Amino acid sequence: MPDAVCLGLDTSNYTTSAAVSSRGKVTASVRRLLKVAEGERGLRQSDAVFQHTVNLPSVFSEIGEQRLRAVGVSATPRDHEGSYMPCFLAGVASASAIAETAGVPLYRFSHQAGHIAAALYSCGREDLHEGEFLAFHVSGGTTELTHVDYGRITLLGGTRDISAGKAIDRIGVMLGLSFPCGGQLEALAGDIMTAKAGKLSVEGLSCNLSGLENKAEAMRKQGAEPSAVAAYVLRHILAVLDRLTENALAIYPGLPVIYAGGVMSNKAIRSHLSDRFGGLFAEACYSCDNAAGIARLTELTADGLLASSERSAYAGG
């Protein structure tokens, strides 16, 4: 008889995903990107919920028949009180129905906790679930710096306005790229280290990024090539993350630093932060939205490794 597995679901703003974890390994992972119309810079929540509802049956079909031990789901965007987005309701509804029908436990996590867990799994540092570290979550909807202590995620700082990923997507669409724009902007930019970052708006552990879009638009109006604009944008984001990391390590010296989220799949940004700070990164397939981290958190919780009152911040029944 095959092993009973732990199923993880994640229905983020732009990806429907499911993953399976068994004996400490992610044994299956399926992702479906939500469709964004040409020229648009995002999706309304109602459209995201509809697309998740359409995608989930085919995602489950690709995962295939499984003997379940537990089910986990991204129920909220972050671990903050009041954190909520309607798109996660599609995953919660499916996960609840599956767990109830199968007679297995259901564990609720945040999307952010899933990103961090996917990064720890991918870089081989799941031991840090039993310790303390700094974690950046840099994606289309989020640019946050957190402190994680035995699973308890505390917000330290990040952007005061738009996220790095949103800036990249808005500027990419302005340059004629298709949403989401991260990979295309990286290819267009080439060697971003030849570009010079603009004046940084960083104060302590917080930053502002909204001015980046205005600067990019001004560069285009002044005749700058799209490749030069792309390089400037990515070099500026790298410089902001560099400064935030430097400031954070001045307060928390010696802590490991994890970088999670889709923006952190950028090769130049990864290389710089790894070389300068020893930063730890997920592989590209685990940087973008995916359910692998939720599946791993589900198995760790089912194994009792995140089950004590001190270490249960990741999970909610």
Side-chain angles (χ1 to χ4, degrees), residues 13 27 30 64 83 152 155 163 255 301 308:
N13 209 34
T27 56
V30 179
S83 180
R152 193 166 299 280
L155 179 65
S163 69
L255 286 190
T301 303
S308 75

Side-chain angles (χ1 to χ4, degrees), residues 222-248:
Q222 293 164 8
E225 292 294 324
S227 58
V229 176
Y232 171 83
V233 168
L234 294 177
R235 181 69 179 85
H236 188 86
I237 289 172
L238 183 156
V240 168
L241 294 173
D242 179 282
R243 182 71 58 81
L244 288 174
T245 304
E246 181 178 58
N247 292 350

Side-chain angles (χ1 to χ4, degrees), residues 166-243:
K166 185 170 288 187
I168 287 170
D169 287 330
R170 287 181 176 180
I171 293 166
V173 170
M174 183 263 292
L175 294 175
L177 305 179
S178 299
F179 184 97
C181 305
Q184 301 165 76
L185 198 74
E186 181 178 3
L188 179 64
D191 182 6
I192 71 171
M193 300 310 290
T194 61
K196 187 176 181 180
K199 183 179 179 180
L200 303 185
S201 180
V202 176
E203 182 180 354
L205 303 182
S206 298
C207 67
N208 292 85
L209 292 168
S210 58
L212 193 53
E213 186 177 5
N214 294 334
K215 175 63 176 179
E217 289 177 348
M219 289 176 69
R220 281 297 286 147
K221 288 178 181 177
Q222 293 164 8
E225 292 294 324
S227 58
V229 176
Y232 171 83
V233 168
L234 294 177
R235 181 69 179 85
H236 188 86
I237 289 172
L238 183 156
V240 168
L241 294 173
D242 179 282
R243 182 71 58 81

Side-chain angles (χ1 to χ4, degrees), residues 71-90:
V71 178
V73 64
S74 296
T76 61
R78 305 171 186 84
D79 284 41
H80 312 167
E81 184 177 353
S83 180
Y84 168 77
M85 286 182 75
C87 59
F88 292 104
L89 295 175

Side-chain angles (χ1 to χ4, degrees), residues 146-164:
T146 69
H147 174 259
V148 187
D149 188 14
Y150 280 89
R152 193 166 299 280
I153 301 173
T154 302
L155 179 65
L156 296 178
T159 180
R160 294 190 181 105
D161 41 41
I162 69 170
S163 69

Side-chain angles (χ1 to χ4, degrees), residues 4-7 65-72 93-106:
V5 303
C6 292
L7 173 69
E65 184 176 347
Q66 303 284 346
R67 190 163 66 93
L68 296 179
R69 181 182 172 204
V71 178
S94 293
S96 300
I98 292 169
E100 188 69 24
T101 302
V104 299
L106 172 66

